[in-house]
Amino acid sequence: MPEHQHQFEFGGPVGCIGVMAGLPIGIWALYLLCNQHFMLANPITSPLELPDLTKYSFYSHEAMAVFTGWNLVLALLWVVVPGQWVNGTQLSDGSRLRYKMNGFSSFVIVTLILILATCVDKGAGLVWLHDHQLELATSSVIFSALLSVYLYVTACCKDTIKAGPGDLGIRHYDFFMGHELNPRIGEFDLKTFFELRPGLIGWAVLNAAMAAKEWDNFGSVSSAMVLVNCFQLTYVVDALWNEASILTTMDITTDGFGFMLAFGDLAWVPFTYGMQARYLAHTQVQLSSVHIFAILAVKLLGFTIFRGANAQKNSFRTNPNDPALAHLKAMPTERGTKLLISGWWGMSRHINYLGDWTMSISWSLPCGFGHVVPWFYVIYFAVLLVHRESRDEACCRMKYGKDWDKYCAIVPYHIIPYVYSVSYTHLTLPTKRIV
């Protein structure tokens, strides 16, 4: 196999070990710094204090049963809820896989069940979710680790299409990156299911639990909490409503399903993306009408860019001859495909990332600037998007060759239009497959 066809990512075989060990610690640390027992004080104005670990329970069989049951219920909904079957992108062998799109319908059913349960138990179930977050987070770590082992072992036993980034012959690295491209049980596609169902919907449910806890603490739900819940719920609903759009993303077309995606989907997303709501459950923030209007404007700007760009890209990839796209300009490539050079994608090569990050700012603005914890996601997401953009660039340069250089000359901006970002070092090293 040619040397240039694969590259190490995330620091290679050594770095991925640190990532796998560090991510669970990160989830636990973020919880311990912001919860009902302890809130990290501003280290500049206050002496450093650490949480008392004796106050916390990190694991319980009950939480493990709840988390496992949650995944099984959503899998059952995938089976029984009707949904449209759509074809994915063409694979290396020329075939296309079918995917059942019923994520939004499943979400509606979960929401109705949650509302009914809340009416019956007066929110006690939601408060339980809040109070047992740490145990649930640990359960998600265990579940995602076991799932990753299953994915790697079965991938090694089957003659299926392997994912380039996770097919280097270095066992623990392939385990991390994901060895098999499209692991399935029958027509049940594991990667798309876990990408959009348990963690994403679970994030919205946990946010509702934070609102219930705020009501339990203060007797009301603040406008700041309402904004955070609505903004992040909009993000979840948008992803599920446009479920088919995920089929053209790098996660589905390029990355294998291993520890990296499994942990991110099941543990990292639901237990770190909702830091703002957890903060507001224990901190009262008052917003004026002017503040609310400004925050709404930031959210609307980000959503317009994000959804507009992603919808345009997905439409072009699935049907480039659609008359609705006739006004767009595209550059032909030697691969026989075309690259958009106008519309949203003529502004920058990753304009959707700008919209995504702008929305993340609107999620933290309701919390104010009195604490760094609710701004963790904005900081983390900026780093993530820059890293992901560098991965995309490396992948596209490998895929399109000289055509990518021509494309970059036409669309020179990385993420922010008219702000040229010089090339940054990507954490990759050229490798040869180890047999």
Side-chain angles (χ1 to χ4, degrees), residues 96-147:
R96 293 176 185 268
L97 296 174
R98 293 201 318 156
Y99 296 85
K100 188 178 182 182
M101 300 287 108
N102 63 357
F104 181 76
S105 300
S106 298
F107 171 76
V108 171
I109 293 173
V110 168
T111 301
L112 293 176
I113 294 174
L114 186 65
I115 292 173
L116 179 61
T118 301
C119 291
V120 172
D121 68 6
K122 307 302 181 184
L126 288 174
V127 173
W128 184 93
L129 290 176
H130 168 277
D131 293 345
H132 293 80
Q133 281 179 88
L134 189 56
E135 296 172 350
L136 290 167
T138 301
S139 300
S140 74
V141 171
I142 296 171
F143 190 98
S144 59
L146 293 175
L147 174 63

Side-chain angles (χ1 to χ4, degrees), residues 19-323:
V19 173
M20 287 189 283
L23 286 176
I25 295 173
I27 288 180
W28 293 321
L30 287 171
Y31 178 83
L32 293 173
L33 295 178
C34 178
N35 58 78
Q36 60 187 333
H37 301 299
F38 179 84
M39 189 73 66
L40 179 67
N42 188 333
I44 298 177
T45 59
S46 304
L48 179 63
E49 293 184 21
L50 296 176
D52 181 1
L53 297 183
T54 61
K55 294 181 178 180
Y56 302 93
S57 170
F58 282 79
Y59 174 81
S60 72
H61 293 317
E62 182 182 18
M64 190 72 215
V66 169
F67 188 83
T68 303
W70 167 248
N71 285 271
L72 292 176
V73 167
L74 289 173
L76 178 62
L77 290 177
W78 181 91
V79 173
V80 302
V81 176
Q84 180 184 7
W85 287 90
V86 303
N87 291 324
T89 58
Q90 184 172 309
L91 301 174
S92 59
D93 63 357
S95 65
R96 293 176 185 268
L97 296 174
R98 293 201 318 156
Y99 296 85
K100 188 178 182 182
M101 300 287 108
N102 63 357
F104 181 76
S105 300
S106 298
F107 171 76
V108 171
I109 293 173
V110 168
T111 301
L112 293 176
I113 294 174
L114 186 65
I115 292 173
L116 179 61
T118 301
C119 291
V120 172
D121 68 6
K122 307 302 181 184
L126 288 174
V127 173
W128 184 93
L129 290 176
H130 168 277
D131 293 345
H132 293 80
Q133 281 179 88
L134 189 56
E135 296 172 350
L136 290 167
T138 301
S139 300
S140 74
V141 171
I142 296 171
F143 190 98
S144 59
L146 293 175
L147 174 63
S148 301
V149 171
Y150 165 81
L151 291 168
Y152 182 74
V153 171
T154 55
C156 291
C157 297
K158 295 185 293 184
D159 182 19
T160 54
I161 296 176
K162 300 302 186 284
D167 189 28
L168 299 185
I170 305 173
R171 291 177 184 265
H172 73 279
Y173 182 78
D174 292 347
F175 168 84
F176 171 75
M177 294 298 296
H179 194 40
E180 188 176 358
L181 183 61
N182 305 111
R184 292 187 155 212
I185 302 174
E187 287 198 298
F188 180 53
D189 189 86
L190 294 171
K191 185 161 61 169
T192 55
F193 172 78
F194 284 108
E195 185 92 358
L196 285 179
R197 309 295 178 93
L200 203 66
I201 299 176
W203 171 22
V205 173
L206 284 174
N207 273 358
M210 302 307 118
K213 188 64 178 181
E214 185 185 29
W215 179 278
D216 194 51
N217 285 337
F218 304 114
S220 64
V221 176
S222 65
S223 56
M225 179 67 85
V226 171
L227 286 177
V228 168
N229 264 264
C230 287
F231 288 170
Q232 296 185 349
L233 181 62
T234 300
Y235 189 88
V236 172
V237 170
D238 175 70
L240 294 169
W241 180 261
N242 297 284
E243 186 177 8
S245 297
I246 195 178
L247 301 181
T248 58
T249 63
M250 185 177 182
D251 284 358
I252 306 303
T253 62
T254 305
D255 290 333
F257 192 30
F259 183 88
M260 178 181 70
L261 286 182
F263 186 91
D265 295 339
L266 288 165
W268 190 257
V269 169
F271 293 102
T272 67
Y273 281 24
M275 291 286 292
Q276 303 91 340
R278 190 193 304 161
Y279 172 78
L280 292 172
H282 306 286
T283 307
Q284 291 186 294
V285 176
Q286 301 298 325
L287 298 176
S288 67
S289 299
V290 174
H291 289 148
I292 293 174
F293 179 81
I295 294 169
L296 287 170
V298 174
K299 169 64 177 180
L300 181 60
L301 173 63
F303 184 78
T304 299
I305 298 171
F306 175 76
R307 178 43 50 205
N310 279 332
Q312 192 176 81
K313 176 187 67 174
N314 186 63
S315 297
F316 184 76
R317 285 183 174 178
T318 54
N319 184 14
N321 298 317
D322 187 343

